[in-house]
Amino acid sequence: MTENSQQPQPAPTTELPTQYTPAEVEGQLYERWVERGYFEADAKSDKPPYTVVIPPPNVTGSLHLGHAFEHTLIDALTRRKRMQGYETLWQPGMDHAGIATQNVVERELGKEGKSRHDLGREAFVERVWQWKGESGGQISGQMRRLGDGVAWSRERFTMDEGLSQAVQTIFKRLYGDELIYRAERIINWCPRCLTAISDIEVEYQDDDGELVSMKYGDGDETIVVATTRAETMLGDTAVAVHPEDERYKHLVGKQIKLPLTDRSIPVVADEHVDPEFGTGAVKVTPAHDPNDFEIGQRHGLPSIAVMDEHAVITAHGPFQGLDRLEARSAIVAALRAEGRIVAEKRPYVHSVGHCSRCKTTIEPRLSMQWWVKVGPLAKAAGDAVRDGKVKIHPQEMEKRYFDWVDNLHDWCISRQLWWGHRIPVWYGPEGEVVCVGPDEEPPSGEGWRQDPDVLDTWFSSGLWPFSTLGWPEQTESLAKFYPNSVLVTGYDILFFWVARMMMFGLYAMDGTPPFHTIALHGMVRDQNGKKMSKSFGNVVNPLDWMDKYGSDALRFTLARGANPGVDVPIGEDWVQGSRNFANKIWNATRFALMNGATVEGPLPDASRMSSTDRWILSRLNSVVAEVDAYYEDYQFAKLSDALFHFAWDEVFDWYVELSKTTFQAGGEAAEVSQRVLGEVLDVSLRLLHPVVPFVTETLWTTLTGGESVVIAEWPTDSGFRDADAEREIGTVQSVITEVRRFRADQGLQPGQRVPARLTLAGSALAAHEAAVRQLLRLQPEGDGFAATATLPVAGVEVALDLSGVIDFAAERKRLAKDLAAAEKEKAQANAKLGNEAFLAKAPDHVVDKIRGRLTKADEDIARITTQLENLPEA
């Protein structure tokens, strides 16, 4: 184990307060850390770099449990690396969140009776910047509450001048390499936000709809198709069937009448059609469905748009001007009147896409947009993982990554918004198209205009690992801190943000990926494993729990549930339990200081230590090694659990208790144990610090007199092990545990003293007799001692005189009654489990519950029988 980063000083004489009150220390500790620059990163340092970027939260956002979870994990990693001597950069910043932010400001304007069009583009964008300055970035203050050790002086925003330059630079390069182009394709369109949106901004949910089967054509040329969107039939330009479907071979190539219109449409053969699904025939609407668009491209079909940007019908006829949902009912009614409805199914539950911002149903729409040709970029992103340049953790997530990047479609990057990075393309009066780089003057003169669209937010956030370091300039920070050491993020954005960073990083940085490792975590859920949602009423504001229990308690709870790639259930009871752990650390350190625990001077030689001292130091080194291994494998739950059980069980419940008699006796043995206890607490607090930074800072500085645990050295395994001491203390623990169990079984109160004789002659436990007696409340045997119960445990005999303590007759009667009840319970459970008719009808959870009752009854019978056997006759 390392020495502290500062010269150890005698522990201050000032005692700790009797209670730990997080609210009184957390805020001032954090500000002290920031003022002293502990979290800043120096690009000129000769220390090895360790870099992590924060997944930039939306400027509109506030801290939710998902943020708190992810930030806790990143903070733990970076705090440990800082203590290990790395030049550590945790890069903070926020995303401009195009749609979300524009919606917020538009709602504010709506309260004034205005729209963005009343202001005009320039004034509206100024209004958004004003809102950002006044209300945006609330999450930054909340990150401080959590204890995020980020380099605040480096905070960036995706609309900063430098990041905007990076966006324009990479757009120009991609455009020049013909990897950005403009084309008419099917996109996700929000009729409320009036913009294209990305796949990640579409939320799918099961909606009650209708499935309508309708008849196209007449006579022998009749064909039945089904749809959930009857209104789109006005834009049908074909019916498609499978080429091998014998039912329709006579129709392929023929024209059939499209109902409610004056058009006829062809029947085409396409392998996309599943002949086993429905009637085996599908209507083809190329302008309003992505699959239909592909069919249309293969067969040269026209694309007829029948809705405008507000999802209002534009097709000439009686339905013109109707909203899409109004038109749906009207068209079905008209088809029904013509006798063309074959079947109607209501409700028909099916998955429907909704805008994640406003919850409006998404409309697939043919639109002229800007696209990234992702083929070569995605191949590079896949190869980087296949070649081992980038590791995905846990490894089983690789398959999901490959399934995505190996099948990526071109990426629609244009958005019909005013807030965001405007597309740097100008159109001339003669059809000229000019892409302008950051150092170039845009064309001017009559007839020239800039593209009105802005870029998808994911375009700028995809540059985050290098744009935040000054790219495209070749800065010292870029040279020092790129690539990132690890990306910690949720598996839910593996396909979106992560894939885009991989593509852009490899492209812009000459084949160097943006990070060495992608560490994926799961989603935070409620204590029953249910997704947190406002509609479910189970959303928790993490600030409430931090106010109530302290930030450390929330952090420890989240870390203790963080198994790689697995969702994390969390409940208030667990946070309360973590608060109790913080209090336990506080009280144990306070006890240690009151009993002279010290870090002054070197550790005494092992020959001067008791076996209890050697045992705890042996275990301490094992835990240091164990925690290090878990950190390297991103096993936050396991490392937190290891620290919890070591601190609570081994240090506080065993070492401190076993040492109390030594401290009371005083002398050299006490001095040795005081130094050992100081060492154990010093190292334990440093090990715990990355996960629970506030309470450990207060305790460590009080114990050691050091400047701050933030800049203390991370403990290392000294290699000290003592298997003999571990076996010896293990025996002591077994004796104490078994006798405590027996006392509890006999109904003795924990503090009730009982005369006892311990046969320890020749045993290694002889040296621990005083501690054993104190912990078990065992008095010396004295005159008239009569052994009424004898317990052989681990080669040691413990004889107890329970006369005068227990009414044996009454106790035997009570136990006999409990035994009869347990046997009755067992018989009833066996009867049900032996009843075949019951087993055939009962749900699995009912059967499992009865099996549990049977197991419990067997355990009770065994326990009570043992108690009766050990109970003396009255």
Side-chain angles (χ1 to χ4, degrees), residues 18-19 21 59 61 89 99 121 150 200 223 254 280 286 324 466 495 507 556 598 631 671 687 704 738 745 775 826:
T18 55
Q19 274 191 317
T21 309
V59 68
L89 169 60
I99 295 178
R121 182 168 194 145
V150 299
I200 196 171
I223 196 164
K254 291 187 176 181
R324 57 183 166 170
F466 51 94
F495 312 132
Y507 174 79
F556 193 72
T598 180
Y631 262 115
E671 292 176 2
L687 287 173
T704 69
E738 287 302 315
D745 288 345
L775 289 172
K826 178 178 179 178

Side-chain angles (χ1 to χ4, degrees), residues 314-327:
T314 57
H316 182 70
F319 311 109
Q320 188 174 12
L322 294 180
D323 171 80
R324 57 183 166 170
L325 298 182
E326 296 171 332

